[in-house]
Amino acid sequence: MTTRSCPCGRPESYGACCGRFHAGTAAAPTAEALMRSRYSAFVVGDAGYLLRTWHPGTRPGRLDLDPGMRWTGLEILGTTDGSAFHRTGTVTFRASYRGGSLHERSRFERVDGAWVYVDGDFPDE
């Protein structure tokens, strides 16, 4: 997967994009970058990364990913705040999978300087 475009939809290779966040060699600089990297973690089955980037107050004790789930694309629909100059941010997205899609508005917050996923809601279509 290191030579193909990243699953998050950016043109960079997985290794140069979300793979470096998953490996721990870099941290997502924005809420959107974290959201994209979390989507990619679902695609590649990296539950450890998903748990590490989940807010400690809302993080589940464990996360069991469905190995049969096939994610097919990510569309960012909107963002608010979430840059290096903010403490919080939201990312609204549609993640497609074989057989359907998930539309969510995710909330992110900085904890000890790093972006983490807090929770999300499902806006009306």
Side-chain angles (χ1 to χ4, degrees):
M1 177 170 279
T2 57
T3 59
R4 295 187 329 191
S5 295
C6 190
C8 81
R10 296 277 189 214
E12 295 88 5
S13 70
Y14 169 74
C17 193
C18 294
R20 63 197 173 109
F21 303 143
H22 296 171
T25 59
T30 65
E32 180 181 338
L34 180 66
M35 196 262 116
R36 287 179 176 278
S37 71
R38 286 177 57 83
Y39 169 81
S40 291
F42 276 102
V43 172
V44 301
D46 190 343
Y49 179 78
L50 292 165
L51 289 170
R52 285 192 308 277
T53 58
W54 212 308
H55 191 283
T58 58
R59 178 188 309 133
R62 59 183 265 182
L63 184 61
D64 296 318
L65 299 179
D66 178 356
M69 181 65 123
R70 295 293 174 251
W71 296 97
T72 60
L74 176 66
E75 179 184 5
I76 302 298
L77 303 173
T79 62
T80 57
D81 298 335
S83 77
F85 303 105
H86 300 107
R87 286 202 68 249
T88 63
T90 65
V91 179
T92 304
F93 67 93
R94 180 171 290 109
S96 299
Y97 56 87
R98 192 178 305 149
S101 67
L102 169 72
H103 182 196
E104 182 176 319
R105 182 182 309 110
S106 295
R107 292 187 321 120
F108 298 88
E109 185 177 301
R110 283 186 183 270
V111 173
D112 296 329
W115 285 106
V116 293
Y117 169 78
V118 178
D119 60 16
D121 59 45
F122 305 101
D124 294 332
E125 296 282 340

